[in-house]
């Protein structure tokens, strides 16, 4: 098979992994380096950032995960790269500045450790033979030995494993060959071993959204636990794309992109805004509001805690205001030491007044008539103002945070 | 009469003029290069200052590093009145010191922050959007069309990244070329270099593979053209191999 054809097959089968970041490493090699903030090199027709050459080593697999295009029961064309072929494409793409580095995952052939050996071989060639200093994210194979995790982790910037589904029962149903223990064993290992020479850019994971019955509460609790237990940099949420037919899979017409977006927003609230999952979701309300973003939806339920006075309220409370992000909150904190802020100043600081105006005062003044401030009126307006589908690139945001 | 001062169009020339204006306590109406528009109501003064050798050292002593970087980025911008914005920013810095950059209610501060951020953002974007073609004799060649004059900023990036390659980047609208010889890069006028656009043997193969890859990573069920154009404005597409055919 020609190299070009292999690339088409093995890029096609890798594209459902949502991870794209290339940040968090300062590696410098003879050929290439990593950029601390990460760089997007292109954007594909779906609006996602292309930063890494995202491919599989092979799309052959001995497992049969229901949601996966590469499962063994699918009758599709199979291909496999040799380690040298991966180097050739990576180095040639890198020097033309198409990519920031390599994202390599693989179906499982023969055994987890056999597959790991091939991944390690590839990385050794890249790092030792070609002195490649670009960014590498590799997916470790669940079930691999610690010895092989150790060897692989030394060679890459990020090493991670996908949890795929938030509950064990979901996994049993859709990925009968997998269990979360094997995945979490990798996470645990990476967390304990991580240093500047071992997986310097840390680890991430991914959950598929909408392939199984789990609620948003299940998903976000799983995320919260994993952030807490394994120091993950990111959890990616990937709306399920119906690639297979199966009695255990939902028959979706379109992927649940809006839900995915709300989960990302909630994830943001956990990591940067001081929220806990229990602030937003509970047994009686296990799913996020699709119409209003999670912060606004929290604020509407807690109207008694508003308005916040912009010139006085503590940082933590500024962050609770819809329309105020981390950057604008920091700017407000700095500027208000020097002068009293009013609504026009807030605009200059990047506050989205259309959303914030219901929840704040400047020097005791509201920007609109108090009589309008009831939750129905505000909710109706916030729904109209919600532009998030337009900038749905949830991955891109990472640039400014990680 | 409103006084307009002329400088030579270079960054160090601008610093020299500003130093002169600050020490003579002159408040100019505007600062322009020699190709300014004649105007009856303006008095144009060209002090023909000689650029001082140690002018950047003097400024680095008077202002902190972050301020100088911001000012330099503003200088690289396409903003029309950038010189006078820089002048007022530095003047106010002398008055308020480091606290100045928090005073966003001053026009010159919010302008400087906004413009320098735009220039920084464009430079960052281009670090990704540059597409090298491999020419015969292993020279990597790219063309770009940035809004702002970011050629030097991105050259510094590629000097680290592709330190063992020969590369050339041309800013087409400004007709400026950056040439890297595996030691350092040099910025020269496009008139002074002749580039023979002769692709290497393998160039076609890899640029085709890149285009294949580009098409295949998109998930068609998620198609979102608005989002794509938002992050990768059409303006850059003529130089992006993977999308220029879609134009
Ligand atoms: S192990 Fe991975 S490649 Fe194999 S079927 Fe499951 S998800 Fe697909």
């Amino acid at each position: 098979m020609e190299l070009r054809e292999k690339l088409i097959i093995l890029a096609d089968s890798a594209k459902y992994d949502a991870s794209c970041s290339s940040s968090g490493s300062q590696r410098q090699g003879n050929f290439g380096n990593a950029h601390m903030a990460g760089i997007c090199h292109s954007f594909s027709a779906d609006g996602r950032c292309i930063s890494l050459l995202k491919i599989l080593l092979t799309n052959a697999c001995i497992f049969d995960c229901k949601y996966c295009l590469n499962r063994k029961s699918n009758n599709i064309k199979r291909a496999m790269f040799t380690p040298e072929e991966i180097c050739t494409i990576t180095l040639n793409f890198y020097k033309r500045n198409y990519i920031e580095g390599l994202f390599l995952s693989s179906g499982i052939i023969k055994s987890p450790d056999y597959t790991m050996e091939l991944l390690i071989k590839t990385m050794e060639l890249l790092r030792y033979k070609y002195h490649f200093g670009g960014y590498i994210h590799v997916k470790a194979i669940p079930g691999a030995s610690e010895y092989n995790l150790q060897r692989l982790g030394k060679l890459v910037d990020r090493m991670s494993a996908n949890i795929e589904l938030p509950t064990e029962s979901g996994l049993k149903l859709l990925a009968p060959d997998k269990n979360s223990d094997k995945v979490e064993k990798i996470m645990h290992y990476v967390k304990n071993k991580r240093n500047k020479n071992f997986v310097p850019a840390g680890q991430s994971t991914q959950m598929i959204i909408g392939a199984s019955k789990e609620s948003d509460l299940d998903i976000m609790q799983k995320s919260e636990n994993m952030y807490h237990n394994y120091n993950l940099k990111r959890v990616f949420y990937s709306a399920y794309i119906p690639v297979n037919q199966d009695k255990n899979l939902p028959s979706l017409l379109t992927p649940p992109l809006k839900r995915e977006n709300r989960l990302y927003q909630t994830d943001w609230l956990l990591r940067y805004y001081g929220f806990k999952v229990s602030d937003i979701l509970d047994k009686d309300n296990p799913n996020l509001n699709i119409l209003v973003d999670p912060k606004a939806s929290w604020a509407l339920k807690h109207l008694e805690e508003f308005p916040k006075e912009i010139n006085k309220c503590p940082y933590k409370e500024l962050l609770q205001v819809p329309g105020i992000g981390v950057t604008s909150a920091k700017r407000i904190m700095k500027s208000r030491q020097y002068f009293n802020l009013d609504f026009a100043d807030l605009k200059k600081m990047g506050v989205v007044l259309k959303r914030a105006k219901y929840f704040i005062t400047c020097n005791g003044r509201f920007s609109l008539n108090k009589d309008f401030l009831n939750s129905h009126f505000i909710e109706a307006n916030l729904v109209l103002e919600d532009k998030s589908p337009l900038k749905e690139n949830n991955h891109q945001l990472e640039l400014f945070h990680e | 009469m409103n006084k307009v001062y002329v400088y030579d169009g270079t960054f160090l020339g601008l610093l020299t003029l500003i130093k002169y204006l600050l020490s003579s306590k002159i408040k100019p109406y505007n600062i322009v290069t020699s190709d300014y528009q004649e105007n009856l109501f303006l008095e144009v003064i060209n002090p023909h200052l000689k650029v001082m050798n140690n002018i950047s050292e003097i400024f680095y002593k008077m202002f902190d590093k972050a301020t100088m970087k911001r000012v330099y980025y503003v200088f690289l911008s396409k903003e029309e009145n950038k010189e006078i914005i820089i002048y007022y920013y530095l003047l106010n810095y002398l008055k308020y010191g480091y606290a100045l950059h928090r005073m966003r209610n001053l026009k010159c501060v919010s302008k400087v922050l906004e413009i320098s951020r735009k220039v920084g953002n464009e430079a960052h974007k281009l670090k990704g959007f540059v597409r090298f073609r491999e020419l015969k004799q292993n020279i990597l060649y790219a063309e770009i069309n940035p809004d702002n004059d970011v050629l030097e900023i991105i050259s510094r990036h590629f000097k680290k990244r592709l330190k063992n390659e020969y590369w050339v980047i041309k800013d087409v609208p400004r007709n400026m070329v950056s040439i890297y010889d595996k030691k350092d890069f040099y910025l020269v006028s496009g008139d002074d270099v002749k580039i023979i656009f002769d692709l290497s043997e393998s160039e076609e193969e890899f640029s085709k593979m890149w285009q294949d890859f580009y098409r295949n990573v998109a998930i068609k069920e998620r198609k979102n053209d608005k989002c794509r154009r938002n992050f990768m404005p059409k303006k850059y597409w003529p130089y992006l191999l993977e999308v220029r055919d879609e134009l």
Side-chain angles (χ1 to χ4, degrees):
Chain A
M1 196 187 284
E2 230 194 295
L3 196 54
R4 235 179 116 179
E5 193 186 348
K6 283 192 190 179
L7 177 65
I8 291 174
I9 295 173
L10 294 168
D12 196 63
S13 39
K15 71 181 167 201
Y16 298 104
D17 199 299
S19 161
C20 79
S21 62
S22 55
S23 55
S25 179
Q26 283 174 305
R27 190 181 296 274
Q28 172 75 52
N30 259 333
F31 180 72
N33 61 354
H35 187 285
M36 200 58 196
I39 296 175
C40 289
H41 286 248
S42 190
F43 291 86
S44 49
D46 50 24
R48 297 190 304 165
C49 151
I50 301 177
S51 156
L52 304 173
L53 169 64
K54 195 185 286 180
I55 48 172
L56 299 185
L57 173 77
T58 176
N59 64 341
C61 191
I62 54 175
F63 283 179
D64 203 41
C65 309
K66 300 279 185 280
Y67 48 79
C68 176
L69 189 63
N70 309 317
R71 64 181 185 178
K72 104 181 143 199
S73 58
N74 272 6
N75 185 16
I76 55 165
K77 205 163 189 179
R78 309 283 173 173
M80 182 166 165
F81 281 128
T82 65
E84 277 289 353
E85 284 171 337
I86 294 176
C87 295
T88 304
I89 304 179
T90 306
L91 300 170
N92 275 288
F93 275 23
Y94 191 85
K95 94 174 161 195
R96 289 168 175 78
N97 203 43
Y98 302 159
I99 53 167
E100 201 55 24
L102 173 66
F103 172 103
L104 188 61
S105 179
S106 184
I108 301 170
I109 39 169
K110 288 193 189 158
S111 72
D113 274 313
Y114 180 84
T115 315
M116 282 293 276
E117 295 277 350
L118 290 171
L119 294 172
I120 292 166
K121 177 86 196 295
T122 309
M123 299 310 155
E124 282 175 347
L125 285 175
L126 277 170
R127 294 294 195 214
Y128 300 145
K129 181 170 170 194
Y130 298 107
H131 307 284
F132 179 61
Y135 190 94
I136 299 180
H137 178 174
V138 70
K139 288 280 163 196
I141 307 292
S145 67
E146 288 203 354
Y147 171 68
N148 278 336
L149 289 175
Q150 163 68 23
R151 290 168 68 203
L152 188 55
K154 283 199 312 216
L155 298 161
V156 300
D157 299 283
R158 174 167 286 185
M159 177 163 79
S160 59
N162 286 347
I163 194 86
E164 307 292 14
L165 295 168
T167 63
E168 204 61 42
S169 59
L171 275 174
K172 264 217 179 79
L173 193 65
L174 297 181
D177 306 307
K178 284 190 177 167
N179 63 53
S180 57
D181 284 357
K182 284 186 188 159
V183 174
E184 295 197 35
K185 199 185 132 201
I186 295 174
M187 293 179 176
H188 187 77
Y189 187 83
V190 170
K191 183 202 161 198
N192 287 339
K193 284 279 154 71
R194 190 180 160 215
N195 63 45
K196 71 180 195 314
N197 300 313
F198 188 90
V199 194
Q203 54 176 336
S204 60
T205 195
Q206 161 170 304
M207 274 188 268
I208 301 170
I209 304 309
S212 52
K213 295 207 177 57
E214 283 102 342
S215 66
D216 293 342
L217 177 63
D218 294 328
I219 293 166
M220 290 319 302
Q221 270 178 345
K222 185 74 195 173
S223 291
E224 194 170 52
N225 283 336
M226 289 190 297
Y227 280 128
H228 179 253
N229 293 337
Y230 309 119
N231 260 329
L232 297 187
K233 288 278 179 180
R234 285 293 302 268
V235 175
F236 290 95
Y237 306 89
S238 174
Y240 174 62
I241 313 279
V243 286
N244 299 326
Q245 299 292 323
D246 194 289
K247 64 177 194 322
N248 288 330
L249 287 171
S251 45
L252 298 168
L253 286 176
T254 49
L257 294 177
K258 191 76 221 185
R259 183 176 176 204
E260 179 194 282
N261 179 245
R262 293 292 181 233
L263 289 165
Y264 272 112
Q265 289 173 324
T266 311
D267 187 271
W268 236 251
L269 293 182
L270 301 188
R271 287 188 296 141
Y272 300 107
Y273 291 80
F275 281 80
K276 294 196 286 297
V277 174
S278 56
D279 295 330
I280 303 163
L281 295 163
D282 55 50
K283 278 220 171 66
D284 300 324
N285 298 290
N287 288 303
L288 296 164
N289 185 339
I290 288 294
L291 291 175
V292 185
D293 72 82
K295 186 154 82 163
S297 154
W298 177 87
L300 284 168
K301 275 191 221 146
H302 296 83
L303 272 185
E304 73 286 351
E305 297 187 25
F306 294 92
K308 306 284 184 195
E309 168 52 47
I310 288 294
N311 287 299
K312 288 212 186 71
C313 86
Y315 178 69
K316 199 173 154 258
E317 293 178 22
L318 279 179
L319 286 179
Q320 295 170 346
V321 178
I324 297 185
V326 173
T327 315
S328 42
K330 284 192 178 140
R331 285 179 185 160
I332 291 171
M333 293 304 287
K334 277 186 188 165
S335 300
R336 74 183 189 187
Q337 304 170 9
Y338 298 91
F339 58 97
N340 253 333
L341 305 176
D342 66 33
F343 291 99
D345 298 320
L346 291 184
K347 216 168 195 163
K348 281 189 208 140
M349 292 174 190
V351 173
V352 186
L353 272 183
K354 279 183 195 158
R355 303 179 69 73
K357 65 183 174 194
Y358 310 101
F359 304 100
I360 54 172
T361 56
C362 282
N363 305 309
R365 280 188 317 110
F366 272 106
S367 83
L368 71 174
N369 193 327
K370 251 183 172 154
D371 301 340
F372 290 121
L373 296 180
N374 65 69
S375 64
H376 291 296
F377 175 81
I378 302 175
E379 178 162 3
N381 280 288
L382 288 178
V383 170
L384 293 173
E385 290 302 337
D386 188 356
K387 296 271 177 13
S388 59
L390 287 183
K391 35 177 188 179
E392 219 172 60
N393 196 317
N394 302 301
H395 318 299
Q396 172 68 4
L397 293 168
E398 177 168 28
L399 264 179
F400 309 108
H401 287 285
E402 211 177 5
Chain B
M1 188 102 138
N2 288 324
K3 292 191 169 108
V4 171
Y5 282 80
V6 178
Y7 77 112
D8 63 4
T10 68
F11 186 58
L12 295 183
L14 177 63
L15 295 186
T16 306
L17 176 64
I18 290 179
K19 172 95 193 16
Y20 164 78
L21 296 171
L22 291 174
S23 19
S24 358
K25 296 208 176 353
I26 304 172
K27 277 201 181 169
Y29 177 74
N30 205 353
I31 300 175
V32 296
T33 52
S34 49
D35 52 356
Y36 62 94
Q37 287 278 322
E38 296 272 356
N39 182 325
L40 262 151
F41 303 100
L42 300 176
E43 182 188 343
V44 177
I45 300 167
N46 191 341
H48 291 289
L49 301 170
K50 202 169 154 279
V51 172
M52 298 154 73
N53 287 333
N54 59 343
I55 186 71
S56 61
E57 281 157 45
I58 295 177
F59 271 75
Y60 272 99
K61 257 182 217 142
M62 287 161 73
F63 306 99
D64 64 281
K65 228 173 135 185
T67 299
M68 288 310 291
K69 184 176 166 186
R70 264 187 218 118
V71 162
Y72 181 57
Y73 274 30
V74 173
F75 176 77
L76 296 177
S77 77
K78 58 164 184 188
E79 177 78 24
E80 242 170 66
N81 294 314
K82 59 191 183 187
E83 293 89 353
I84 196 74
I85 295 172
I86 292 174
Y87 167 83
Y88 273 104
Y89 183 68
L90 293 177
L91 183 73
N92 276 300
Y93 187 102
L94 293 176
K95 200 155 140 202
Y96 298 108
Y98 188 71
L100 180 70
H101 71 269
R102 290 164 194 175
M103 302 165 82
R104 280 165 192 270
N105 54 341
L106 290 179
K107 182 98 187 265
C108 66
V109 177
S110 61
K111 272 277 172 199
V112 160
L113 292 176
E114 179 199 320
I115 301 168
S116 62
R117 188 172 44 85
K118 269 195 201 148
V119 172
N121 283 350
E122 188 176 39
H124 185 80
K125 265 188 186 271
L126 274 164
K127 285 175 192 171
F129 292 166
V130 167
R131 294 286 172 271
F132 287 109
R133 312 292 312 256
E134 190 183 61
L135 306 182
K136 294 234 161 82
Q137 282 143 358
N138 287 324
I139 296 167
L140 297 168
Y141 175 68
E143 293 183 343
I144 55 173
N145 63 340
D147 283 332
N148 304 292
D149 190 2
V150 295
L151 187 58
E152 188 195 333
I153 307 179
I154 62 171
S155 294
R156 265 187 261 142
H157 167 76
F158 286 109
K159 180 184 165 181
K160 268 199 245 151
R161 170 154 295 189
L162 299 174
K163 60 179 177 184
N164 293 318
E165 310 289 323
Y166 292 111
W167 51 255
V168 176
I169 305 172
K170 178 169 186 176
D171 179 333
V172 178
R174 286 175 191 78
N175 193 28
M176 284 298 287
V177 176
S178 176
I179 301 178
Y180 177 72
D181 63 0
K182 298 195 183 182
K183 281 187 210 79
D184 212 342
F185 63 86
Y186 308 91
L187 298 176
V188 295
S189 157
D191 300 334
D192 299 335
V193 271
K194 192 158 177 291
I195 292 138
I196 304 162
F197 195 77
D198 214 353
L199 297 178
S200 77
E201 303 260 303
S202 60
E203 176 55 27
E204 274 308 311
E205 184 194 347
F206 287 108
S207 65
K208 284 238 168 60
M209 287 205 328
W210 166 240
Q211 290 168 62
D212 289 340
F213 176 77
Y214 179 80
R215 270 189 300 277
N216 276 284
V217 287
I219 298 177
K220 59 180 187 308
E221 292 87 345
R222 302 183 65 119
K223 193 169 165 41
N224 189 340
D225 212 40
K226 218 174 203 160
C227 184
R228 169 167 69 162
R229 267 180 291 124
N230 198 7
F231 288 111
M232 190 165 73
K234 281 229 153 122
K235 171 192 159 73
Y236 301 110
W237 289 23
Y239 298 99
L240 291 166
L241 275 178
E242 64 273 25
V243 284
R244 64 174 185 200
D245 293 341
E246 288 184 50
L247 275 173

